[in-house]
Amino acid sequence: MSPLFRRRTPQVPETPENHLVTLIRKPGCHLCDDAQLVVEKVCGDLGVPWEQKDITEDRRLHDQYWEQIPVVLVDGRQHTFWRVNEERLRRALTE
């Protein structure tokens, strides 16, 4: 088919709303509580959806991240672990 008649897939611009932040944590973890406060603030400010997952309820996450929690994923890729830097997370979601 001629390139003139092919449909183009529109490019979706990279905006904060197009991201998903995942906080991987466990109950009773004070670093996890601190990380959640940062994730809630940054995602709330930018309108980015976020979710949390408990490593005690998911064996795969437990095996992969046990020594690093809390872990923050941006779009499924590891962004950081242990301590979450607000400005670094904000940049990752806006640049």
Side-chain angles (χ1 to χ4, degrees):
M1 179 181 283
S2 167
L4 292 174
F5 297 107
R6 288 190 191 142
R7 290 185 182 193
R8 288 196 225 193
T9 305
Q11 293 286 353
V12 178
E14 196 67 24
T15 63
E17 299 83 20
N18 293 336
H19 293 290
L20 174 64
V21 174
T22 305
L23 173 62
I24 301 171
R25 58 169 301 150
K26 74 173 187 170
C29 167
H30 70 90
L31 287 178
C32 299
D33 295 338
D34 294 346
Q36 183 171 335
L37 292 174
V38 174
V39 169
E40 285 176 343
K41 181 179 188 321
V42 172
C43 289
D45 289 349
L46 299 175
V48 174
W50 73 278
E51 63 183 359
Q52 60 181 333
K53 296 189 177 182
D54 182 342
I55 64 166
T56 65
E57 296 176 359
D58 185 318
R59 185 70 187 171
R60 185 186 62 78
L61 291 176
H62 179 276
D63 292 347
Q64 187 171 359
Y65 296 116
W66 174 249
E67 295 181 357
Q68 296 180 336
I69 61 161
V71 175
V72 175
L73 309 178
V74 174
D75 301 328
R77 288 191 215 117
Q78 188 169 342
H79 169 73
T80 194
F81 61 97
W82 293 338
R83 302 237 182 241
V84 182
N85 179 284
E86 180 180 339
E87 290 308 311
R88 183 169 177 260
L89 180 57
R90 191 176 297 277
R91 276 193 313 273
L93 297 171
T94 58
E95 292 181 348

